[in-house]
Amino acid sequence: MRLRPSALLRFYSLCGLLIQAAATKNKVKGSQGQFPLTQNVTVVEGGTANLTCRVDQNDNTSLQWSNPAQQTLYFDDKKALRDNRIELVRASWHELSISVSDVSLSDEGQYTCSLFTMPVKTSKAFLTVLGVPEKPQISGFTSPVMEGERMQLTCKTSGSKPAADIRWFKNDKEIKDVKYLKEEDANRRTFTVSSTLDFRADRSDDGVVVSCRVDHESLNSTPQIARQVLEIHYTPSVKIISSSSWPEEGQSIVLTCESKGKPLPEPVLWTKDGGELPDPERMVVNGRDLRISFLNKTDNGTYRCEATNPIGQNSTEYVLIVHDPNALAGQTGPDHALIGGIVAVVVFVTLCSIILLGRYLARHKGTYLTNEAKGAEDAPDADTAIINAEGSQVNAEEKKEYFI
């Protein structure tokens, strides 16, 4: 059976309506089964916050953004709240994005994206606003500070949210032992943070740069820093440096008085053995230098350098010994006097030994009977044997021995 063209057209139209109805039904089921997607946003005070709401499937159902006070900001592409800071970024069936410029702390809170299905589906996005800390200030320093005095430096910054962190440095070395105080500001949203550095002034601190560093997540890894250069006044330190380690007669010597202090001591005072320099023509003071020309034995003694500034005075001493160059040269050759003395002693000892030996030999030289002679069998020694032989045994047969 052949269908007429009009009937065929009606058939195709009916099929199209059935297909469209089925697609619409699926869309409704898809949109009703999903929730809009949002993300929390963090922005620095004064910056711009972008709020985005998305749905994967939507059957032309409207999207809406509202603020923490439940005021509608945008309904699809229609602006509902009169606030020039709020603008539409993008509006479609799948996305509604808006921006809030020049964000203030009061804008912080929970924003709601609504998908108007049956029932209405919502998603929350929390807007966090960071309070930027003010540039820190260092107080408590009065220049100059005397060595040994107690110093208390305070660093303070306000307006941070959350509370900022404060760190102290001396040049590039961090100081750990500090006091930290956090106070809530009057608006009850931000904080004032202060830190106190307490130490005793030392001369090594003079010229040191003390830094107060404020770290906060709103500063994008670029901390705010306040600096203070320390000025410490202290008494002089004195040291004498000699131009020669072995000064000799006829030479010259320069004694330099190195003095450090703040304020710088100028000039220095030179004395010898507790009094003035005895020979101004040869002993000339030029600034911190004492030059002594044509040295001789009379220049031996204790030289003193004294430095004074408004804080106090200090001194040090140098003992000068002038050496005889000729005596030094004689000591380099052999000591003939010493050698002659040793030879004389050796000769004397030898002569004495010879004399003593001669006397001993002369005393024991002579004729005596040995124990083999008659009548000498019982003699205890040679002398007794001789006496017996000469006395009671005159006629005995003698055996003579000579001791040489």
Side-chain angles (χ1 to χ4, degrees), residues 316-375:
T316 189
E317 295 179 343
Y318 177 85
V319 177
L320 175 61
I321 300 177
V322 180
H323 301 274
D324 184 357
N326 297 324
L328 182 64
Q331 293 177 2
T332 58
D335 193 339
H336 298 288
L338 178 61
I339 296 175
I342 294 175
V343 172
V345 171
V346 172
V347 171
F348 177 76
V349 171
T350 303
L351 292 175
C352 291
S353 299
I354 293 173
I355 293 172
L356 292 175
L357 181 60
R359 293 185 64 186
Y360 177 82
L361 293 177
R363 179 180 178 184
H364 290 82
K365 183 178 181 181
T367 302
Y368 63 94
L369 293 176
T370 64
N371 288 335
E372 295 177 0
K374 293 181 178 180

Side-chain angles (χ1 to χ4, degrees), residues 47 105 135 168 175 177 230 239 306 332 349 351 354 357 394:
L105 295 173
K135 184 175 177 60
W168 286 96
I175 305 171
D177 188 15
L230 302 182
K239 180 174 65 174
E306 182 178 301
T332 58
V349 171
L351 292 175
I354 293 173
L357 181 60
V394 177

Side-chain angles (χ1 to χ4, degrees), residues 38 64-68 70 110-114 122-125:
T38 60
Q64 172 187 288
W65 271 112
S66 55
N67 63 15
Q70 296 304 311
Q110 188 167 265
Y111 289 73
T112 304
C113 175
S114 302
T122 62
S123 181
K124 308 292 184 182

Side-chain angles (χ1 to χ4, degrees), residues 71-89:
Q71 296 172 314
T72 300
L73 303 179
Y74 265 90
F75 187 82
D76 288 336
D77 59 352
K78 298 177 181 61
K79 188 174 183 176
L81 186 66
R82 292 182 179 180
D83 190 336
N84 295 330
R85 301 178 305 130
I86 303 174
E87 296 180 356
L88 179 66
V89 177

Side-chain angles (χ1 to χ4, degrees), residues 102-382:
D102 194 19
V103 174
S104 65
L105 295 173
S106 60
D107 293 323
E108 184 174 87
Q110 188 167 265
Y111 289 73
T112 304
C113 175
S114 302
L115 176 65
F116 282 87
T117 57
M118 292 299 292
V120 176
K121 305 292 180 61
T122 62
S123 181
K124 308 292 184 182
F126 196 91
L127 175 60
T128 301
V129 181
L130 302 177
V132 181
E134 297 176 358
K135 184 175 177 60
Q137 301 290 332
I138 296 178
S139 60
F141 180 74
T142 303
S143 181
V145 177
M146 303 302 165
E147 183 179 27
E149 288 186 358
R150 202 84 190 171
M151 294 183 63
Q152 284 190 337
L153 303 180
T154 300
C155 179
K156 180 181 289 187
T157 179
S158 301
S160 59
K161 176 182 172 296
D165 183 37
I166 293 181
R167 299 162 67 188
W168 286 96
F169 294 84
K170 275 188 178 181
N171 289 336
D172 295 328
K173 184 177 180 181
E174 185 174 1
I175 305 171
K176 296 291 188 179
D177 188 15
V178 294
K179 298 177 182 178
Y180 183 85
L181 179 63
K182 178 179 70 175
E183 296 177 325
E184 196 174 55
D185 293 334
N187 59 17
R188 304 186 69 82
R189 294 177 181 271
T190 58
F191 296 89
T192 293
V193 182
S194 62
S195 179
T196 300
L197 177 62
D198 190 345
F199 64 99
R200 193 174 297 279
D202 185 79
R203 63 183 61 198
S204 61
D205 294 325
D206 184 53
V208 168
V209 179
V210 174
S211 303
C212 165
R213 171 174 162 175
V214 175
D215 293 298
H216 194 262
E217 54 188 300
S218 66
L219 300 176
N220 296 324
S221 302
T222 305
Q224 294 181 339
I225 300 176
R227 295 180 175 87
Q228 178 65 61
V229 180
L230 302 182
E231 183 181 3
I232 312 298
H233 283 193
Y234 54 93
T235 57
S237 60
V238 188
K239 180 174 65 174
I240 295 178
I241 300 177
S242 173
S243 63
S244 175
S245 60
W246 188 269
E248 297 179 356
E249 288 184 309
Q251 294 182 348
S252 297
I253 189 172
V254 177
L255 302 180
T256 301
C257 181
E258 284 193 352
S259 58
K260 297 180 181 180
K262 196 158 187 181
L264 185 65
E266 186 74 34
V268 297
L269 176 64
W270 281 100
T271 59
K272 179 179 183 291
D273 297 331
E276 297 181 355
L277 298 176
D279 193 346
E281 293 184 359
R282 292 189 305 110
M283 301 178 178
V284 180
V285 177
N286 183 14
R288 289 177 168 78
D289 295 339
L290 170 61
R291 182 181 183 84
I292 306 175
S293 304
F294 306 106
L295 289 170
N296 57 65
K297 295 291 186 180
T298 62
D299 297 326
N300 290 343
T302 301
Y303 292 81
R304 181 179 181 183
C305 170
E306 182 178 301
T308 305
N309 69 1
I311 311 303
Q313 70 90 23
N314 202 354
S315 63
T316 189
E317 295 179 343
Y318 177 85
V319 177
L320 175 61
I321 300 177
V322 180
H323 301 274
D324 184 357
N326 297 324
L328 182 64
Q331 293 177 2
T332 58
D335 193 339
H336 298 288
L338 178 61
I339 296 175
I342 294 175
V343 172
V345 171
V346 172
V347 171
F348 177 76
V349 171
T350 303
L351 292 175
C352 291
S353 299
I354 293 173
I355 293 172
L356 292 175
L357 181 60
R359 293 185 64 186
Y360 177 82
L361 293 177
R363 179 180 178 184
H364 290 82
K365 183 178 181 181
T367 302
Y368 63 94
L369 293 176
T370 64
N371 288 335
E372 295 177 0
K374 293 181 178 180
E377 292 83 357
D378 298 327
D381 52 31

